[in-house]
Each structure stands twice: as C-alpha cells, then as structure tokens.
Amino acid sequence: MIKLKLYNTLSRELENFESIHPNKVGIYVCGPTVYGAPHLGHVRGPIVFDVLRRLLDSLNYKVRFVKNITDVGHLVGDADEGEDKLQKQAKIEQIEPMEIAQIYTDMYNNVMDKMNILRPSIEPKASGHIIEQIELIQEIIEKGYAYHVNGSVYFDVDSYNKKYPYGELSGRIIEDLVAGAATQNRTLDGQEEKRNPHDFALWKKASPEHLMQWTSPWGKGFPGWHIECSAMSVKYLGKHFDIHGGGMDLLFPHHECEIAQCKASNDVNPANYWIHHNMVTINGQKMAKSLNNGIKVEELFDGNHDLLSRGFSPEVLRFSVLQAHYRSTLDFSEDALIAAEKGLKRLEFAESLLDKLEAKSNNTTTVTDLDESIEKALLDDLNTPIVIAQLFELARRINLVNDGNEEFSSQTIEQAKSIFKKYFRGILGIKPLSSESSDMLNQVIEFLINIRKTAKMEKNYPLSDQIRIYLQSIGIELMDSKEGTNWKFN
Ligand SMILES: [Zn+2]
C-alpha cells in the first residue's frame, strides 16, 4: 500500500506520514482573527486542511481537528504594536469587542458551512483560555526564557537561542533579525522595554481605557498573539501532536514563536509536521486595500464587486481552489472562475450519465487505472490538480461510452460511480451544484402535480389543464401513466 506523503516545512522535505498514536491524528490549524467579514484570502487554508482531514478520515484515522478563534491579542501591526484588531473594530461599530467576535465568528462559520467545510472537533477561543495562557507564560519565566518588565512579559530570544535554534522553521537567523530590528522605529510601543528588539510579547500591560483586559500575576493586561496557539494546541492535543497547519504568511513570526514557546516550556517541538499553504492573488496581484481587490466571500457568491460581473456558487469556489496545488500560489480571476464552473458542470454531467449507461459484457473499457492514479495523487502531498485532471479523463471516457464509441461493463459503471462518490464528493468535498435550488424545484413541481391530481379527481379540468399548460410554458413536461405522473425538462 502506498503511504501518505506530506511536505514538512520543518525539514523542507516530502516525508512519509506516521502518526504518533496508531490510527489517531491530532491537527491544529490557526483560525481567523474575527474582526471583519471573510475574504478570498481566508478560504484557501480551510479548504486545503478540510481535504487533508477528509483524506485522513478515509485512511481510517480518527482525526481530532482543532481550529482556534482569535478574539483577543492580535494587534493591528501583526506584532507587538498597535491597537487590538477587535477593539479597533468595536470602536468603529460602537459595540462590545465580544459582540464583534460573535458577529464575525458566525459570519465566518456560515461561509465555511456553505463551502462544505467540516466544523472543527474543537474550536477554542483565545479569550476563553486566558488562565492556560498565563500558566504557560509563568512556566516559560520559571525556565528562564522570559522576563517581566513594567507589567508586560517578553520572550527572551537570546537566552532561548543558547539552547534551541531560534528560526528552525522559517530559516531566519538571529543576525538577520537583529539587523532588521535595528532599522525599526525604536519608539514603537514596548520596544524600549525589551532586552532585545527581536524579543516578542507574551503578555502586555493594558492601559485603563483598553477594553479587553484580565488580572494576571503581572497586573492587568492581555496576552500576546502567539501564546494562545501554544496554550490551546497543547491543552487539546497534548505537548506533542501530529500536524500543525496554516498559511505561509504565519510561518514567521507566528509559528516560529509558537515553536519557541512550546520548546521553552515542554522541551519539544509541538508538532511533527508543519504544513503551510501558499497565498492567493487576485488577477495576478496581491490583495491590498489600495487596489480595492479584497473580494469578500459573500461578494463572490452574489457577484457584488467591481471585479465581478456575476456571482459564483460556493461549490465553484471550492473546486477552483483545489485546481491548484496547495503549495503553489493561487490566482483568482473571473475567467478562472468561469472555467472552473464549466469544468465542474462537465464532471457533474458525466456523473449523471452513469445512471443511464447500458452495461455491456464484451471488449469493455476500464477505469481501474484512474481509481489508482487518483489515490496516488492524493497521497502524494495532496496533489488535487492531478486528481481533478484524472476526473476529467473519467468524464471523457464516460462521454465516449454514452456516444456509443466505447463500452463499460456493469462493474466498471459501479467503479466509476464509486470514484465520483469517494473522491469527487467525499474527499474533495464538492457538493452537487446548487443542489438546494434543484431540491426546492423538485418539491414545488411535486406539489403542483398533487394539486392537479386532486383537481382531476374533483373533475376540475380547467384547473388541471391550467397547471399542465403553465408548466409546459416554462419548459416542464408532465407525463401521465398508470403509476402516476412524472416530469422532465423539455
Ligand atoms: Zn496560531
């Protein structure tokens, strides 16, 4: 049997995946900072790690999938300076920071549901784990890798680096960091308190007007951004778990700091495999406020954005994300989305033909090679573009059979159905296109058929004719037989 291989950022190599405990996998993925509506930059990670989770499920692992919600401590500058992102938004919207967190957590999860992303096994919030974070900071101080200054606590990178290599994940070395920090503005908030400019905050003293603050051994304050992920991953997955995931933008400083915090307190890198997905661009450009190209996910669904002439369904979005390998950059454009939609419809159509094909028993074409190559591609570091290419090849063969140019045995038809079910619907997680609206249409037509049946029984022929003629006028034909009434598109 072929083994699952994953690219580990830590070793910079493709490695065979081995779980720490037999048949169990613990995954921690850095979740959203909930202060705004999710945009296209937020969808790739969840889709990629959802496919990984579904793949591990299919390999009979019991997966515990933890994804946090950052609702405190993530500052506007993405480092130790600036205002808390939620607090800033709360002031703009003039509501409580926790209301901001609730509104945008709900919005985020709503978008995740639409894209058929399985909810995490555990979804811990930073604000609900202040005690765990304080305890972890205390441990790091006791071990000698952090220091307290004037109500704030900083991680002592130099003293850590004497025992552990700081920068092992990102490949950055202390000398570079020192040079980089020297060019920074030394008057930035808290910089003058640090022993070294590359030290980072574990706990920050809060000014009286700061909205979110808690009592700690160092006075009133709030946690740094990196400490929550160390505290919560260890709490729910143990000191040493299997997979830690996130975007490449989190590699440094966030994940580097997570490793340092965990090693400083537990003497072990928290995760065996560090998996990072690449970033997204819009029409070939990075997303930026000045370019007005930050498309929100809901805007993509309803087409309400200057860069779009119409909306695209969540299935199309999910499919288009999986058309690129997760370690390559992914470019969104309207043309790419239209192409993805066409491709998706082609696959769905081929899938629907399988119910109508007539099985033959001689000289039939097989699909076993595709079954094998799809599994192989998935196990090869989640190579979803190859999986999709093989699904298109399957669709091509189905069309040949449908056109009478080739033949399938009944066994092959069943195998083709199971490929769609297991890989296309199951692991890639693509729901039928607008299944909701076609379900509703079905129900409405069935309802009209029942009214017509009652009308006929009551000899109300004008009404029964009216229903039939109306449906015909919108392209739906009713077919009466002894068994009842069926319908089809005309
Ligand atoms: Zn994190």
Side-chain angles (χ1 to χ4, degrees):
M1 209 188 93
I2 357 164
K3 287 209 146 190
L4 171 61
K5 283 194 173 73
L6 293 172
Y7 182 84
N8 192 348
T9 311
L10 197 59
S11 65
R12 291 162 187 79
E13 274 175 19
L14 210 53
E15 291 181 21
N16 277 327
F17 176 75
E18 299 281 354
S19 62
I20 296 168
H21 305 287
N23 307 319
K24 282 186 188 154
V25 177
I27 304 182
Y28 186 90
V29 174
C30 293
T33 301
V34 282
Y35 68 102
H39 57 69
L40 284 186
H42 291 121
V43 302
R44 191 176 195 186
I47 292 172
V48 165
F49 292 109
D50 188 55
V51 170
L52 176 60
R53 176 184 184 175
R54 287 164 183 261
L55 175 63
L56 289 163
D57 267 337
S58 82
L59 298 170
N60 294 321
Y61 287 105
K62 191 172 173 355
V63 182
R64 180 180 289 175
F65 191 97
V66 182
K67 180 158 83 174
N68 69 306
I69 297 282
T70 297
D71 56 357
V72 64
H74 195 162
L75 305 185
V76 171
D78 276 340
D80 298 338
E81 311 88 30
E83 203 174 351
D84 184 286
K85 288 190 178 191
L86 269 94
Q87 176 165 317
K88 186 177 172 204
Q89 192 62 27
K91 280 185 191 160
I92 294 169
E93 299 192 23
Q94 296 198 324
I95 51 177
E96 280 286 316
M98 282 299 118
E99 272 181 284
I100 292 290
Q102 192 64 55
I103 289 167
Y104 292 113
T105 302
D106 289 348
M107 208 182 271
Y108 177 84
N109 280 330
N110 188 18
V111 162
M112 295 296 118
D113 289 346
K114 284 185 183 171
M115 292 191 304
N116 201 23
I117 286 158
L118 301 169
R119 289 278 181 112
S121 327
I122 304 173
E123 190 182 58
K125 288 181 180 164
S127 67
H129 295 76
I130 300 295
I131 293 169
E132 288 84 349
Q133 296 180 67
I134 290 174
E135 281 172 358
L136 180 56
I137 295 167
Q138 280 177 308
E139 260 182 69
I140 298 172
I141 294 175
E142 279 161 26
K143 299 261 167 87
Y145 300 116
Y147 54 93
H148 168 219
V149 188
N150 186 30
S152 294
V153 180
Y154 297 98
F155 191 89
D156 189 341
V157 172
D158 277 0
S159 99
Y160 172 82
N161 196 49
K162 287 189 184 115
K163 182 163 182 200
Y164 307 99
Y166 183 74
E168 59 183 306
L169 183 71
S170 61
R172 299 202 189 194
I173 50 171
I174 289 275
E175 289 72 30
D176 290 351
L177 296 176
V178 172
T183 61
Q184 273 179 17
N185 185 353
R186 291 284 307 192
T187 60
L188 286 175
D189 187 20
Q191 282 297 83
E192 68 283 354
E193 292 174 349
K194 296 180 183 178
R195 287 183 192 162
N196 277 296
H198 48 266
D199 291 350
F200 56 90
L202 299 175
W203 187 264
K204 291 283 283 182
K205 180 185 180 166
S207 55
E209 67 275 13
H210 197 94
L211 293 174
M212 289 185 287
Q213 49 178 292
W214 290 266
T215 302
S216 80
W218 317 286
K220 292 233 172 191
F222 56 94
W225 173 33
H226 314 303
I227 196 77
E228 61 169 284
C229 286
S230 292
M232 297 189 292
S233 61
V234 165
K235 172 160 179 156
Y236 297 111
L237 296 169
K239 289 176 180 173
H240 191 212
F241 56 91
D242 297 294
I243 298 172
H244 193 308
M248 276 182 182
D249 55 335
L250 294 181
L251 227 153
F252 189 90
H254 186 58
H255 290 165
E256 198 73 75
C257 295
E258 271 189 57
I259 291 178
Q261 292 163 162
C262 286
K263 279 190 153 181
S265 62
N266 303 321
D267 199 35
V268 61
N269 188 314
N272 270 347
Y273 301 87
W274 286 81
I275 313 286
H276 291 95
H277 64 84
N278 213 321
M279 308 318 290
V280 304
T281 53
I282 311 269
N283 292 325
Q285 286 180 305
K286 275 183 85 169
M287 260 186 276
K289 272 214 175 85
S290 57
L291 296 169
N292 186 31
N293 65 354
I295 303 176
K296 292 183 181 121
V297 184
E298 289 291 352
E299 289 172 342
L300 184 106
F301 292 161
D302 57 28
N304 186 18
H305 193 280
D306 291 347
L307 295 175
L308 300 168
S309 59
R310 65 172 172 96
F312 293 90
S313 72
E315 294 79 28
V316 170
L317 178 57
R318 183 168 176 127
F319 187 69
S320 69
V321 166
L322 295 174
Q323 279 186 313
H325 187 258
Y326 76 90
R327 287 196 284 122
S328 315
T329 52
L330 166 69
D331 188 47
F332 283 112
S333 65
E334 181 152 278
D335 286 348
L337 287 160
I338 290 171
E341 190 177 61
K342 270 191 192 153
L344 192 50
K345 282 184 176 162
R346 231 170 84 207
L347 292 179
E348 288 214 331
F349 182 68
E351 185 189 28
S352 72
L353 285 177
L354 287 170
D355 287 325
K356 298 173 189 154
L357 295 183
E358 200 186 321
K360 298 283 166 57
S361 49
N362 291 320
N363 294 327
T364 55
T365 307
T366 169
V367 295
T368 305
D369 57 323
L370 300 179
D371 209 342
E372 286 166 1
S373 56
I374 288 174
E375 188 189 18
K376 201 172 144 219
L378 275 170
L379 294 176
D380 183 19
D381 197 28
L382 292 186
N383 202 330
T384 55
I386 300 276
V387 174
I388 291 171
Q390 298 300 79
L391 288 170
F392 281 128
E393 171 58 20
L394 177 61
R396 193 186 68 84
R397 292 186 198 173
I398 292 169
N399 282 309
L400 284 175
V401 174
N402 188 51
D403 295 342
N405 296 321
E406 285 190 21
E407 291 173 350
F408 276 173
S409 66
S410 60
Q411 203 188 344
T412 301
I413 293 173
E414 287 313 308
Q415 194 178 4
K417 282 184 188 173
S418 97
I419 292 175
F420 273 110
K421 189 168 173 235
K422 180 174 180 188
Y423 298 111
F424 182 55
R425 304 299 184 192
I427 296 174
L428 297 191
I430 308 289
K431 278 194 299 190
L433 264 175
S434 57
S435 54
E436 248 170 67
S437 55
S438 65
D439 270 3
M440 257 163 67
L441 178 67
N442 231 328
Q443 285 176 26
V444 170
I445 296 172
E446 289 301 324
F447 180 67
L448 287 170
I449 288 174
N450 277 331
I451 293 179
R452 178 167 166 264
K453 191 174 157 193
T454 311
K456 272 179 156 178
M457 274 167 22
E458 291 168 354
K459 299 199 165 35
N460 186 349
Y461 298 115
L463 179 60
S464 72
D465 281 346
Q466 196 187 347
I467 292 172
R468 184 179 52 80
I469 291 163
Y470 172 72
L471 287 174
Q472 202 168 31
S473 76
I474 60 166
I476 290 164
E477 191 182 335
L478 297 184
M479 297 167 302
D480 295 315
S481 71
K482 269 179 246 161
E483 286 80 39
T485 304
N486 268 324
W487 66 274
K488 66 172 185 183
F489 287 114
N490 223 340

